[in-house]
Amino acid sequence: MRVLGIDTALGACSACVLDGSAVLAEETMVLARGHAEALLPLVERVMAAVPGGFDSLDRVAVTVGPGSFTGLRVGISAARAIGLAAGVPVVGVTTLSAFLAPLVAAGGNRLNAAAIDARHGHLFFQCIAAGGRTIVPARHVSVRDAARVIGSGPMTIAGSGAAILGHELRNLGVDAKIADAEIAPHIAWVARLGMAADPATALPKPVYLRAPDAKPQEHMRIPRR
């Protein structure tokens, strides 16, 4: 199966094509903003390096969050458009799952956690046991509450909030190891998870986990007649 993976959920704009276990082409740009302008040219460059181009794709996988509201809309819209044009299914992969996947693949008996810095002392957070059993489902939570809900560890953490959570855990006496503090998951893992996903259930819909920062100005609203 040949999968195009797309990620614009966090601080990077990425795409890759995975054919079985082989990465045929990939590119990542670190971006705080500007995903909308960067994504399609980046995808075109990646697909130009793949024999058969878009017609050779069997599936498109895209990160669905949690992450930036704008970034999620950009990536999901592009993935849906490419899937429609190529006549292939589009599946959604959460950013937390993409951070967790390499930790699970590495094996071992430690708990595995993904922590994304949600700012203002909060994280997007998920924790699973070594065998894949969910300990803490994906949620938006304070750093302190994330550390306290885990228990005694030991713990391996990935994600942009790994250092923050690791510091809090070590203050509580927990053995916390930071495996990856990247701002975004590796795009090849997005494609790998997309390859294994069920298109009937892994829908390309945003997973926000929190309300938007922008609030409507109720006092400015014009009353309807």
PDB file of all heavy atoms in Angstrom, residues 155-182:
ATOM      1  N   MET A 155       8.295   6.093  33.348  1.00  0.00           N
ATOM      2  CA  MET A 155       7.596   6.708  32.249  1.00  0.00           C
ATOM      3  C   MET A 155       8.570   7.162  31.159  1.00  0.00           C
ATOM      4  O   MET A 155       9.647   7.674  31.452  1.00  0.00           O
ATOM      5  CB  MET A 155       6.843   7.929  32.788  1.00  0.00           C
ATOM      6  CG  MET A 155       6.289   8.874  31.759  1.00  0.00           C
ATOM      7  SD  MET A 155       4.868   8.187  30.936  1.00  0.00           S
ATOM      8  CE  MET A 155       3.808   7.883  32.353  1.00  0.00           C
ATOM      9  N   THR A 156       8.183   6.943  29.897  1.00  0.00           N
ATOM     10  CA  THR A 156       8.901   7.502  28.759  1.00  0.00           C
ATOM     11  C   THR A 156       7.961   8.463  28.047  1.00  0.00           C
ATOM     12  O   THR A 156       6.801   8.119  27.791  1.00  0.00           O
ATOM     13  CB  THR A 156       9.362   6.404  27.787  1.00  0.00           C
ATOM     14  OG1 THR A 156      10.197   5.477  28.483  1.00  0.00           O
ATOM     15  CG2 THR A 156      10.151   7.002  26.632  1.00  0.00           C
ATOM     16  N   ILE A 157       8.474   9.661  27.734  1.00  0.00           N
ATOM     17  CA  ILE A 157       7.611  10.731  27.218  1.00  0.00           C
ATOM     18  C   ILE A 157       8.137  11.236  25.879  1.00  0.00           C
ATOM     19  O   ILE A 157       9.340  11.368  25.675  1.00  0.00           O
ATOM     20  CB  ILE A 157       7.553  11.922  28.189  1.00  0.00           C
ATOM     21  CG1 ILE A 157       7.410  11.447  29.641  1.00  0.00           C
ATOM     22  CG2 ILE A 157       6.406  12.864  27.829  1.00  0.00           C
ATOM     23  CD1 ILE A 157       7.657  12.541  30.653  1.00  0.00           C
ATOM     24  N   ALA A 158       7.207  11.548  24.977  1.00  0.00           N
ATOM     25  CA  ALA A 158       7.541  12.179  23.699  1.00  0.00           C
ATOM     26  C   ALA A 158       6.615  13.357  23.480  1.00  0.00           C
ATOM     27  O   ALA A 158       5.509  13.411  24.028  1.00  0.00           O
ATOM     28  CB  ALA A 158       7.415  11.184  22.555  1.00  0.00           C
ATOM     29  N   GLY A 159       7.065  14.311  22.677  1.00  0.00           N
ATOM     30  CA  GLY A 159       6.244  15.451  22.323  1.00  0.00           C
ATOM     31  C   GLY A 159       6.832  16.768  22.788  1.00  0.00           C
ATOM     32  O   GLY A 159       7.767  16.814  23.591  1.00  0.00           O
ATOM     33  N   SER A 160       6.262  17.854  22.309  1.00  0.00           N
ATOM     34  CA  SER A 160       6.801  19.183  22.622  1.00  0.00           C
ATOM     35  C   SER A 160       6.649  19.543  24.090  1.00  0.00           C
ATOM     36  O   SER A 160       7.323  20.440  24.581  1.00  0.00           O
ATOM     37  CB  SER A 160       6.101  20.239  21.760  1.00  0.00           C
ATOM     38  OG  SER A 160       4.700  20.243  22.013  1.00  0.00           O
ATOM     39  N   GLY A 161       5.766  18.862  24.810  1.00  0.00           N
ATOM     40  CA  GLY A 161       5.602  19.104  26.240  1.00  0.00           C
ATOM     41  C   GLY A 161       6.334  18.101  27.104  1.00  0.00           C
ATOM     42  O   GLY A 161       6.150  18.081  28.324  1.00  0.00           O
ATOM     43  N   ALA A 162       7.182  17.269  26.493  1.00  0.00           N
ATOM     44  CA  ALA A 162       7.862  16.202  27.239  1.00  0.00           C
ATOM     45  C   ALA A 162       8.761  16.759  28.338  1.00  0.00           C
ATOM     46  O   ALA A 162       8.777  16.243  29.459  1.00  0.00           O
ATOM     47  CB  ALA A 162       8.678  15.328  26.280  1.00  0.00           C
ATOM     48  N   ALA A 163       9.517  17.802  28.037  1.00  0.00           N
ATOM     49  CA  ALA A 163      10.432  18.350  29.035  1.00  0.00           C
ATOM     50  C   ALA A 163       9.670  18.958  30.210  1.00  0.00           C
ATOM     51  O   ALA A 163      10.071  18.811  31.372  1.00  0.00           O
ATOM     52  CB  ALA A 163      11.337  19.401  28.391  1.00  0.00           C
ATOM     53  N   ILE A 164       8.553  19.620  29.918  1.00  0.00           N
ATOM     54  CA  ILE A 164       7.752  20.237  30.974  1.00  0.00           C
ATOM     55  C   ILE A 164       7.184  19.165  31.894  1.00  0.00           C
ATOM     56  O   ILE A 164       7.267  19.254  33.126  1.00  0.00           O
ATOM     57  CB  ILE A 164       6.610  21.066  30.356  1.00  0.00           C
ATOM     58  CG1 ILE A 164       7.155  22.154  29.434  1.00  0.00           C
ATOM     59  CG2 ILE A 164       5.737  21.685  31.445  1.00  0.00           C
ATOM     60  CD1 ILE A 164       6.092  22.835  28.587  1.00  0.00           C
ATOM     61  N   LEU A 165       6.591  18.129  31.284  1.00  0.00           N
ATOM     62  CA  LEU A 165       6.005  17.056  32.078  1.00  0.00           C
ATOM     63  C   LEU A 165       7.079  16.265  32.807  1.00  0.00           C
ATOM     64  O   LEU A 165       6.901  15.882  33.972  1.00  0.00           O
ATOM     65  CB  LEU A 165       5.184  16.131  31.183  1.00  0.00           C
ATOM     66  CG  LEU A 165       4.510  14.938  31.879  1.00  0.00           C
ATOM     67  CD1 LEU A 165       3.586  15.398  32.998  1.00  0.00           C
ATOM     68  CD2 LEU A 165       3.756  14.093  30.860  1.00  0.00           C
ATOM     69  N   GLY A 166       8.206  16.024  32.135  1.00  0.00           N
ATOM     70  CA  GLY A 166       9.292  15.285  32.767  1.00  0.00           C
ATOM     71  C   GLY A 166       9.799  15.974  34.016  1.00  0.00           C
ATOM     72  O   GLY A 166      10.078  15.322  35.030  1.00  0.00           O
ATOM     73  N   HIS A 167       9.919  17.290  33.964  1.00  0.00           N
ATOM     74  CA  HIS A 167      10.373  18.052  35.134  1.00  0.00           C
ATOM     75  C   HIS A 167       9.390  17.896  36.290  1.00  0.00           C
ATOM     76  O   HIS A 167       9.798  17.684  37.442  1.00  0.00           O
ATOM     77  CB  HIS A 167      10.517  19.525  34.749  1.00  0.00           C
ATOM     78  CG  HIS A 167      10.915  20.420  35.882  1.00  0.00           C
ATOM     79  ND1 HIS A 167      12.195  20.447  36.395  1.00  0.00           N
ATOM     80  CD2 HIS A 167      10.188  21.308  36.622  1.00  0.00           C
ATOM     81  CE1 HIS A 167      12.247  21.323  37.386  1.00  0.00           C
ATOM     82  NE2 HIS A 167      11.048  21.844  37.547  1.00  0.00           N
ATOM     83  N   GLU A 168       8.102  17.985  35.991  1.00  0.00           N
ATOM     84  CA  GLU A 168       7.075  17.852  37.037  1.00  0.00           C
ATOM     85  C   GLU A 168       7.097  16.444  37.637  1.00  0.00           C
ATOM     86  O   GLU A 168       6.982  16.279  38.850  1.00  0.00           O
ATOM     87  CB  GLU A 168       5.700  18.147  36.439  1.00  0.00           C
ATOM     88  CG  GLU A 168       4.569  18.179  37.446  1.00  0.00           C
ATOM     89  CD  GLU A 168       4.568  19.429  38.303  1.00  0.00           C
ATOM     90  OE1 GLU A 168       5.211  20.430  37.906  1.00  0.00           O
ATOM     91  OE2 GLU A 168       3.921  19.409  39.364  1.00  0.00           O
ATOM     92  N   LEU A 169       7.262  15.431  36.785  1.00  0.00           N
ATOM     93  CA  LEU A 169       7.295  14.053  37.272  1.00  0.00           C
ATOM     94  C   LEU A 169       8.512  13.800  38.158  1.00  0.00           C
ATOM     95  O   LEU A 169       8.410  13.140  39.203  1.00  0.00           O
ATOM     96  CB  LEU A 169       7.297  13.082  36.095  1.00  0.00           C
ATOM     97  CG  LEU A 169       5.967  12.911  35.359  1.00  0.00           C
ATOM     98  CD1 LEU A 169       6.176  12.179  34.045  1.00  0.00           C
ATOM     99  CD2 LEU A 169       4.963  12.166  36.227  1.00  0.00           C
ATOM    100  N   ARG A 170       9.658  14.317  37.748  1.00  0.00           N
ATOM    101  CA  ARG A 170      10.872  14.105  38.549  1.00  0.00           C
ATOM    102  C   ARG A 170      10.765  14.797  39.910  1.00  0.00           C
ATOM    103  O   ARG A 170      11.300  14.307  40.900  1.00  0.00           O
ATOM    104  CB  ARG A 170      12.096  14.566  37.768  1.00  0.00           C
ATOM    105  CG  ARG A 170      12.477  13.584  36.635  1.00  0.00           C
ATOM    106  CD  ARG A 170      13.815  13.921  36.012  1.00  0.00           C
ATOM    107  NE  ARG A 170      13.740  15.101  35.178  1.00  0.00           N
ATOM    108  CZ  ARG A 170      13.484  15.078  33.868  1.00  0.00           C
ATOM    109  NH1 ARG A 170      13.252  13.931  33.256  1.00  0.00           N
ATOM    110  NH2 ARG A 170      13.447  16.203  33.171  1.00  0.00           N
ATOM    111  N   ASN A 171      10.056  15.920  39.955  1.00  0.00           N
ATOM    112  CA  ASN A 171       9.817  16.576  41.243  1.00  0.00           C
ATOM    113  C   ASN A 171       8.974  15.715  42.170  1.00  0.00           C
ATOM    114  O   ASN A 171       9.044  15.850  43.400  1.00  0.00           O
ATOM    115  CB  ASN A 171       9.121  17.920  41.030  1.00  0.00           C
ATOM    116  CG  ASN A 171      10.068  18.993  40.516  1.00  0.00           C
ATOM    117  OD1 ASN A 171      11.288  18.856  40.625  1.00  0.00           O
ATOM    118  ND2 ASN A 171       9.506  20.045  39.952  1.00  0.00           N
ATOM    119  N   LEU A 172       8.182  14.818  41.582  1.00  0.00           N
ATOM    120  CA  LEU A 172       7.353  13.903  42.364  1.00  0.00           C
ATOM    121  C   LEU A 172       8.059  12.572  42.622  1.00  0.00           C
ATOM    122  O   LEU A 172       7.460  11.656  43.186  1.00  0.00           O
ATOM    123  CB  LEU A 172       6.037  13.647  41.631  1.00  0.00           C
ATOM    124  CG  LEU A 172       5.103  14.846  41.455  1.00  0.00           C
ATOM    125  CD1 LEU A 172       3.909  14.473  40.584  1.00  0.00           C
ATOM    126  CD2 LEU A 172       4.640  15.369  42.807  1.00  0.00           C
ATOM    127  N   GLY A 173       9.315  12.470  42.180  1.00  0.00           N
ATOM    128  CA  GLY A 173      10.076  11.250  42.401  1.00  0.00           C
ATOM    129  C   GLY A 173       9.833  10.155  41.394  1.00  0.00           C
ATOM    130  O   GLY A 173      10.200   8.992  41.624  1.00  0.00           O
ATOM    131  N   VAL A 174       9.234  10.478  40.255  1.00  0.00           N
ATOM    132  CA  VAL A 174       8.946   9.488  39.222  1.00  0.00           C
ATOM    133  C   VAL A 174      10.120   9.395  38.251  1.00  0.00           C
ATOM    134  O   VAL A 174      10.691  10.413  37.850  1.00  0.00           O
ATOM    135  CB  VAL A 174       7.656   9.856  38.456  1.00  0.00           C
ATOM    136  CG1 VAL A 174       7.388   8.868  37.328  1.00  0.00           C
ATOM    137  CG2 VAL A 174       6.469   9.910  39.410  1.00  0.00           C
ATOM    138  N   ASP A 175      10.478   8.179  37.864  1.00  0.00           N
ATOM    139  CA  ASP A 175      11.507   7.934  36.851  1.00  0.00           C
ATOM    140  C   ASP A 175      10.924   8.300  35.491  1.00  0.00           C
ATOM    141  O   ASP A 175      10.141   7.541  34.911  1.00  0.00           O
ATOM    142  CB  ASP A 175      11.925   6.466  36.896  1.00  0.00           C
ATOM    143  CG  ASP A 175      12.892   6.088  35.772  1.00  0.00           C
ATOM    144  OD1 ASP A 175      13.379   6.999  35.069  1.00  0.00           O
ATOM    145  OD2 ASP A 175      13.139   4.881  35.592  1.00  0.00           O
ATOM    146  N   ALA A 176      11.277   9.485  34.987  1.00  0.00           N
ATOM    147  CA  ALA A 176      10.727   9.998  33.730  1.00  0.00           C
ATOM    148  C   ALA A 176      11.842  10.194  32.717  1.00  0.00           C
ATOM    149  O   ALA A 176      12.779  10.961  32.951  1.00  0.00           O
ATOM    150  CB  ALA A 176       9.990  11.308  33.964  1.00  0.00           C
ATOM    151  N   LYS A 177      11.732   9.523  31.596  1.00  0.00           N
ATOM    152  CA  LYS A 177      12.734   9.599  30.528  1.00  0.00           C
ATOM    153  C   LYS A 177      12.118  10.305  29.329  1.00  0.00           C
ATOM    154  O   LYS A 177      11.010   9.976  28.900  1.00  0.00           O
ATOM    155  CB  LYS A 177      13.173   8.190  30.130  1.00  0.00           C
ATOM    156  CG  LYS A 177      14.086   8.138  28.920  1.00  0.00           C
ATOM    157  CD  LYS A 177      14.360   6.687  28.529  1.00  0.00           C
ATOM    158  CE  LYS A 177      15.179   6.608  27.243  1.00  0.00           C
ATOM    159  NZ  LYS A 177      15.368   5.195  26.821  1.00  0.00           N
ATOM    160  N   ILE A 178      12.837  11.287  28.805  1.00  0.00           N
ATOM    161  CA  ILE A 178      12.366  12.011  27.622  1.00  0.00           C
ATOM    162  C   ILE A 178      12.980  11.368  26.384  1.00  0.00           C
ATOM    163  O   ILE A 178      14.189  11.426  26.170  1.00  0.00           O
ATOM    164  CB  ILE A 178      12.730  13.501  27.702  1.00  0.00           C
ATOM    165  CG1 ILE A 178      12.072  14.121  28.921  1.00  0.00           C
ATOM    166  CG2 ILE A 178      12.311  14.224  26.424  1.00  0.00           C
ATOM    167  CD1 ILE A 178      12.504  15.536  29.196  1.00  0.00           C
ATOM    168  N   ALA A 179      12.124  10.765  25.562  1.00  0.00           N
ATOM    169  CA  ALA A 179      12.601  10.087  24.356  1.00  0.00           C
ATOM    170  C   ALA A 179      12.644  11.030  23.165  1.00  0.00           C
ATOM    171  O   ALA A 179      13.464  10.871  22.262  1.00  0.00           O
ATOM    172  CB  ALA A 179      11.697   8.896  24.033  1.00  0.00           C
ATOM    173  N   ASP A 180      11.746  12.012  23.150  1.00  0.00           N
ATOM    174  CA  ASP A 180      11.612  12.871  21.981  1.00  0.00           C
ATOM    175  C   ASP A 180      10.887  14.142  22.405  1.00  0.00           C
ATOM    176  O   ASP A 180       9.785  14.075  22.929  1.00  0.00           O
ATOM    177  CB  ASP A 180      10.813  12.138  20.895  1.00  0.00           C
ATOM    178  CG  ASP A 180      10.541  12.992  19.663  1.00  0.00           C
ATOM    179  OD1 ASP A 180      11.072  14.106  19.578  1.00  0.00           O
ATOM    180  OD2 ASP A 180       9.788  12.530  18.784  1.00  0.00           O
ATOM    181  N   ALA A 181      11.529  15.284  22.201  1.00  0.00           N
ATOM    182  CA  ALA A 181      10.893  16.557  22.543  1.00  0.00           C
ATOM    183  C   ALA A 181      10.667  17.406  21.293  1.00  0.00           C
ATOM    184  O   ALA A 181      10.664  18.633  21.349  1.00  0.00           O
ATOM    185  CB  ALA A 181      11.757  17.318  23.548  1.00  0.00           C
ATOM    186  N   GLU A 182      10.449  16.749  20.156  1.00  0.00           N
ATOM    187  CA  GLU A 182      10.233  17.458  18.895  1.00  0.00           C
ATOM    188  C   GLU A 182       8.914  18.214  18.916  1.00  0.00           C
ATOM    189  O   GLU A 182       7.973  17.857  19.636  1.00  0.00           O
ATOM    190  CB  GLU A 182      10.248  16.470  17.728  1.00  0.00           C
ATOM    191  CG  GLU A 182      11.603  15.809  17.476  1.00  0.00           C
ATOM    192  CD  GLU A 182      12.663  16.816  17.034  1.00  0.00           C
ATOM    193  OE1 GLU A 182      12.315  17.776  16.316  1.00  0.00           O
ATOM    194  OE2 GLU A 182      13.822  16.646  17.408  1.00  0.00           O
TER     195      GLU A 182
END
